[in-house]
Amino acid sequence: MENPIQADHEEHQHFNELANRDPTVMVVTLQTKSGDEVHVWAEMDTGSFENLISQELLEKLDLSSEVNSREEVSIKTISGKDFTPKGDIDLTFTAGHKQKAFTSNFVIIEDNDIPLLLGRDMLYKQLHAFSTDVEYQNEPPEDMEIWGTKPSATRVDKLYMAKPVRK
């Protein structure tokens, strides 16, 4: 017979672990041009219509030759900062405990404070990351090398609103 005190403790511990996770970031796995896997912190932003990747991360992945040209429009951050994308690229990445593969378009930006950002369509329509499923809000294994530092959940001024403004 299962010890009810032990079962309650384990359930309580599980809920504490869930409560301590930052639901605005997740680790995704990308591939470099040579096929090496790299793990990157991605911010999740339900206010952004676009997925974003920094020029610096794109260069580290050695994928600059895969960039598509893009109509010159300005994108405005929630803090009011305007920037013009440097193009876009279709990327495949894996995420979650099962490392499920996803492919989506990413807008290339110069801002290196956010190497990778997943926007609303990706989060809701493909990842289903904002549901009761905690599949994608996991901490990586301790021995996993991850590029960059884990973003802070309090950086609201750095989150992007996808409001294209035609020039």
Side-chain angles (χ1 to χ4, degrees):
M1 177 181 265
E2 184 179 23
N3 180 340
I5 294 173
Q6 178 65 28
D8 283 348
H9 173 73
E10 289 173 5
E11 184 176 338
H12 181 71
Q13 184 177 8
H14 175 72
F15 285 116
N16 279 341
E17 289 172 7
L18 292 177
N20 290 329
R21 291 182 179 164
D22 181 350
T24 65
V25 295
M26 65 189 275
V27 174
V28 301
T29 304
L30 297 164
Q31 283 193 343
T32 64
K33 189 173 188 171
S34 63
D36 296 328
E37 287 188 344
V38 294
H39 310 287
V40 179
W41 283 109
E43 288 198 37
M44 299 185 286
D45 182 3
T46 59
S48 176
F49 293 117
E50 304 278 3
N51 299 313
L52 306 175
I53 185 168
S54 72
Q55 180 71 40
E56 180 181 14
L57 177 56
L58 193 69
E59 290 169 5
K60 284 181 179 179
L61 295 170
D62 194 26
L63 296 175
S64 296
S65 64
E66 310 293 321
V67 172
N68 305 310
S69 60
R70 186 176 173 96
E71 180 183 350
E72 192 170 311
V73 295
S74 193
I75 294 179
K76 184 177 286 217
T77 68
I78 197 164
S79 64
K81 178 181 171 186
D82 287 317
F83 67 90
T84 302
K86 302 299 175 192
D88 62 57
I89 187 168
D90 292 327
L91 292 176
T92 298
F93 65 92
T94 59
H97 297 289
K98 296 178 184 173
Q99 288 296 287
K100 185 176 176 183
F102 300 92
T103 300
S104 192
N105 185 265
F106 286 78
V107 174
I108 302 159
I109 60 171
E110 284 186 358
D111 188 344
N112 295 322
D113 289 338
I114 299 177
L116 198 66
L117 182 139
L118 303 175
R120 179 184 309 166
D121 283 351
M122 171 56 67
L123 296 172
Y124 288 136
K125 294 179 182 174
Q126 292 189 50
L127 288 171
H128 306 285
F130 289 99
S131 65
T132 56
D133 184 0
V134 295
E135 165 73 14
Y136 302 102
Q137 296 156 3
N138 58 308
E139 289 295 321
E142 289 184 18
D143 61 344
M144 180 185 286
E145 178 185 356
I146 301 175
W147 290 6
T149 56
K150 184 175 181 179
S152 166
T154 60
R155 292 180 22 200
V156 175
D157 62 316
K158 295 302 288 184
L159 298 178
Y160 290 89
M161 286 181 21
K163 185 175 181 180
V165 179
R166 301 217 183 269
K167 287 187 172 186

